[in-house]
Amino acid sequence: TFTGKILEADVRVGLETQRKVETGSRNPITCLQSRPDSFYLYAVSAESGNFFCVDKRKMEVVQQCSKFRHCMSIDFDSETLVASWKNGTVKYLNPQTLETEYTWNCPAPSEMRSVNPLRLSKGAFIYGNSYELLIYTPGRNPKLLGKFPTNEMIISVSEFK
């Protein structure tokens, strides 16, 4: 929410709040990621820089740090948690401690970036900038697999199975 709360709703029974987490932040939550096979969800308030790890079983913040100001996008899989910034910085984080384990700088295109969603997928690391989708090998030393320019602005990268 715009007041730092994380709300859970079940669309099968309507849009009423089922459970909520009070993060203690008064700033908007700008990034949120959750996976069905994980007990945790991750949220960022880019304005304040607060990063939260929430245990979905108890709906409470179990880890928090405050070094993610202007973070644009987050994603995670079973072993990796990543966060990206508008300047192309991508940080690989320890999912339990939220400590940075590795930093990679995605090569910046010449045009101005407006957003940079990212997605971890089995066998690929997908990174979008204003008008380009970049696909890299996974891991700590990503190699470019493909570059797909578009005339449409990329605002989100979804996972398909």
Side-chain angles (χ1 to χ4, degrees):
T1 68
F2 283 101
T3 58
K5 294 182 183 90
I6 299 170
L7 307 176
E8 179 184 80
D10 185 342
V11 295
R12 296 171 296 186
V13 296
L15 294 178
E16 291 183 28
T17 300
Q18 303 295 312
R19 301 187 301 167
K20 70 179 175 181
V21 176
E22 300 279 349
T23 64
S25 175
R26 299 225 185 276
N27 295 299
I29 299 296
T30 51
C31 303
L32 180 74
Q33 278 294 342
S34 179
R35 299 267 187 200
D37 60 344
S38 174
F39 292 128
Y40 301 97
L41 68 82
Y42 298 93
V44 174
S45 171
E47 189 175 315
S48 67
N50 290 324
F51 195 112
F52 305 98
C53 174
V54 174
D55 186 322
K56 294 189 296 189
R57 297 165 293 189
K58 300 183 265 181
M59 285 305 277
E60 67 181 40
V61 175
V62 293
Q63 193 64 255
Q64 176 180 344
C65 66
S66 60
K67 47 189 166 185
F68 290 84
R69 191 167 173 88
H70 304 299
C71 175
M72 298 292 288
S73 185
I74 58 174
D75 198 14
F76 72 102
D77 62 16
S78 60
E79 301 169 3
T80 309
L81 172 62
V82 292
S84 69
W85 279 257
K86 193 173 185 175
N87 66 359
T89 298
V90 177
K91 292 186 179 184
Y92 292 68
L93 311 167
N94 179 309
Q96 283 77 41
T97 65
L98 305 182
E99 290 296 318
T100 301
E101 294 183 340
Y102 182 75
T103 300
W104 174 65
N105 291 305
C106 182
S110 57
E111 74 271 1
M112 184 183 105
R113 290 172 189 255
S114 60
V115 293
N116 59 348
L118 62 94
R119 177 64 72 186
L120 293 172
S121 181
K122 293 176 184 156
F125 177 76
I126 303 166
Y127 189 86
N129 59 47
S130 297
Y131 295 97
E132 221 171 28
L133 189 64
L134 306 157
I135 301 177
Y136 289 89
T137 58
R140 293 190 173 194
N141 192 15
K143 303 281 187 244
L144 184 65
L145 291 173
K147 191 185 280 193
F148 302 93
T150 178
N151 293 328
E152 303 294 327
M153 182 176 283
I154 299 169
I155 59 168
S156 180
V157 179
S158 296
E159 179 179 19
F160 296 97
K161 294 184 181 195

